[in-house]
Amino acid sequence: MTLTAVLILLAASVAAVLVCRTIQMPAILGYLLVGVALGPNGFALIGDSADARHLAEFGIVFLMFTLGLEFSLPQLKAMRRAVLGLGAAQVAVCTTVGLVIVASLGYSLSAGLVIGGMFAMSSTAIVLKMLIERDEVSSEYGRNAIAILLFQDLAVIGFLVLIPALGESGWGLALALGLAVVKAAVAFVLILKLGQRPMRIWLNTIARQRSPELFMLNILLIVLALATLTALVGLSMALGAFMAGMLIAETEHRHIVEENIASFRDLLLGLFFVTMGMALNPGLVIANAEAVFLFLLAPFLIKAVVVVGLARFFGGTWASNVRIGIYLAQTGELALVMLTLANDHSILPAHLKQTILMAVSLSMLTAPLLIRFSEPFIRWFERFDWQESAARIMRVASQSMVYQNPVIICGYGRSGQSLARLLEAEKISFVALDNDAMRVRASAEGVAVIYGDAGNREILAAAGLNKARALVISFADTPLALRIINTVHTLRPTLPIIVRTYDDSDLDRLLEAGATEVVPEIIEGSLMLATHSLLALDTPLPRVLARIRGVREERYSLLRGFFHGVSDAQDDAEENLQPRLRSVVLMDGAAAIGKTLGELDLEEFVKVSRVRRVGKAPRVPDEHWRFEVGDTVVLLGRADDLSFAVQRLLEGTPEA
């Protein structure tokens, strides 16, 4: 490949990947399109170079090495029911169905087995990316989807052993297959059992040199040496790379290796997808458009139905199982690895390879769109799962009814747990909602942590929204927080809502939606950083506390008036004298309606911290503010003064 061809390839790849990232599509598709456009079946700007294909094979090697790094025996053991049960069943059933369909079309059993196995594989990269973006990794369906993907990664190793043997026929096939299995088993035992201790000693020796380039060279040597070793004994290079990843995964250097190898792997993997695109013949694909459509649509529908049915057999709601089916219905990058290996051993006819390659590419192209726009369909489907929904609501209601006037905590992660400990110390009852079953099971005995979706209107009502003292959204998910705020305002417009966010980018949206206060995590972190920094610079403690109080008072409107001085705790020994908040809704007939804040003369008793008007952002009123029906007035003051102010707002000036 000439320098000019390399420059053209790099420029086209940068442009294609940039467009894919902009429209939130997988970079794989950009590389495939570059290969089609520049290859011999497109504009022919780059010839079908054997050197490029050999270099691209290393992309497969490093992809499998990364899978080996991520493969964890403890994780497999912890998720064994889902992985070895649901995952194994999915791969077995989908492969069998694919084999039967392909064989019925007149192709060989070997071709049917390979194609069935290919369509059993989903795109780990696409599914994980969508789960992370939508904050669904810890959900029930997210964990089940990951378990199935984990077994697919394991199953592809079996196919890497099987496919080279399928090139034989008759007794030769049986002999080749048996020999391949024996070779693979011996390789796994020798490398994984006997190689762990020497590998750890060797990596520690290299790491002590504190040379990043030496460490990187050493990793490349290990990966390519094991890949070459397995190739020499008649197995695939990808299998050796996977075992190299498993070896290093058991050492303390796993994460640094994963970080250093990522860019190198992605570059070579991108070249692999470019060469796959160069092998694609658009003319042949168009001529076989019906076959492409068949191999795109049939596996998609069959796989989705199989996954939903198996997931239902292993438990879970219909709606959750439909999500898993939609997430895993597509075919992924591992199918392309298997396709390349099958092509090298002449298992698939040329026209069938073209059809499968185009079907897999289109499947990955449509997967993100399908996942993103499937929510209305799933919501529609949830309505028919009434029995499970009713049972879930009953469970939430029965667990929460024992708590009087609780604080509802949406999310029981680290922030939710910290808040719960403080509420317990103050003897304030609370109910926490979380959709992570493992987190709920791990909560301390006697703590009111309930499995349920805080974004569900019925679940919130069952958790005691009508009697709650406040609601706290402890996770940083603005779309879900907005949905919860809207639900709360519909059912309990006077309820104080405190929302946690990562930064202040969505602060105005949340306040306008009706949040009483928004706490950006990054601001609180910076305040703690400033506190410790000032103390380390010998700034007097009272001055540091004064600075931090000033910033907080300026940032959080509800706290204005709270921080008068360090000695306030001594002066306010009696609980009745300590300031507190109270929200009052001005319904039709309230005495304050139509009057200004100055006319009511409330400020001599309490401070009006904020007024929240429906459809508008909360604001701190001045003396000319005129109250209207539906206004929520947030008051700050002592208990007796608050009672007096509430009476004046609702009933007018009390008689002397």
Side-chain angles (χ1 to χ4, degrees), residues 165-422:
L166 292 177
E168 304 290 337
S169 60
W171 286 106
L173 171 60
L175 181 62
L177 182 57
L179 188 59
V181 172
V182 171
K183 287 178 181 178
V186 171
F188 268 96
V189 171
L190 289 177
I191 293 175
L192 297 181
K193 289 295 183 183
L194 303 180
Q196 285 188 2
R197 182 176 174 80
M199 178 63 70
R200 181 174 281 106
I201 294 173
W202 176 246
L203 286 178
N204 288 337
T205 302
I206 295 296
R208 280 196 292 269
Q209 307 306 313
R210 300 183 181 277
S211 172
E213 63 271 24
L214 177 61
F215 190 81
M216 186 66 177
L217 284 171
N218 177 63
I219 296 302
L220 294 178
L221 172 64
I222 293 171
V223 176
L224 297 180
L226 286 179
T228 303
L229 180 62
T230 53
L232 289 175
V233 298
L235 300 171
S236 68
M237 294 178 66
L239 182 62
F242 181 83
M243 287 190 283
M246 289 188 69
L247 262 181
I248 295 175
E250 298 301 318
T251 71
E252 58 270 28
H253 304 286
R254 168 186 173 179
H255 297 293
I256 189 68
V257 170
E258 198 169 14
E259 181 180 342
N260 288 337
I261 209 76
S263 299
F264 188 71
R265 175 208 63 198
D266 291 343
L267 180 62
L268 290 176
L269 197 57
L271 185 57
F272 163 69
F273 288 119
V274 169
T275 58
M276 293 297 293
M278 292 170 65
L280 190 63
N281 188 334
L284 192 58
V285 169
I286 293 172
N288 294 278
E290 292 182 2
V292 172
F293 184 75
L294 174 65
F295 279 101
L296 170 65
L297 187 62
F300 183 92
L301 294 176
I302 293 171
K303 190 175 178 183
V305 171
V306 167
V307 170
V308 171
L310 290 172
R312 182 63 180 175
F313 177 78
F314 280 84
T317 65
W318 279 111
S320 175
N321 297 334
V322 169
R323 289 181 190 273
I324 301 172
I326 291 174
Y327 267 110
L328 300 179
Q330 91 291 133
T331 310
E333 57 275 357
L334 291 179
L336 296 180
V337 174
M338 294 169 60
L339 179 62
T340 302
L341 193 59
N343 184 63
D344 291 341
H345 291 82
S346 304
I347 296 174
L348 301 179
H351 72 280
L352 186 57
K353 177 199 170 186
Q354 293 286 328
T355 302
I356 299 299
L357 177 57
M358 190 62 188
V360 172
S361 303
L362 289 174
S363 181
M364 288 191 291
L365 174 65
T366 55
L369 294 174
L370 182 72
I371 294 171
R372 187 169 289 122
F373 296 110
S374 63
E375 197 63 29
F377 171 73
I378 294 171
R379 294 294 182 194
W380 174 83
F381 200 92
E382 280 181 333
R383 295 185 302 172
F384 298 94
D385 204 10
W386 61 270
Q387 193 171 16
E388 175 62 29
S389 298
R392 186 166 60 248
I393 291 169
M394 285 296 295
R395 285 196 298 269
V396 173
S398 63
Q399 290 175 275
S400 64
M401 66 172 54
V402 297
Y403 298 97
Q404 296 299 319
N405 306 117
V407 173
I408 297 178
I409 304 175
C410 300
Y412 198 63
R414 285 174 296 180
S415 299
Q417 291 171 32
S418 298
L419 172 61
R421 284 193 291 269
L422 290 173

Side-chain angles (χ1 to χ4, degrees), residues 531-564:
T531 300
H532 289 285
S533 299
L534 290 172
L535 290 174
L537 295 170
D538 293 330
T539 306
L541 177 60
R543 191 185 305 171
V544 173
L545 294 177
R547 293 286 186 193
I548 299 303
R549 282 200 305 271
V551 173
R552 281 203 173 105
E553 285 199 18
E554 182 180 352
R555 167 61 191 83
Y556 301 117
S557 60
L558 287 182
L559 299 182
R560 288 173 187 155
F562 268 94
F563 301 109
H564 301 294

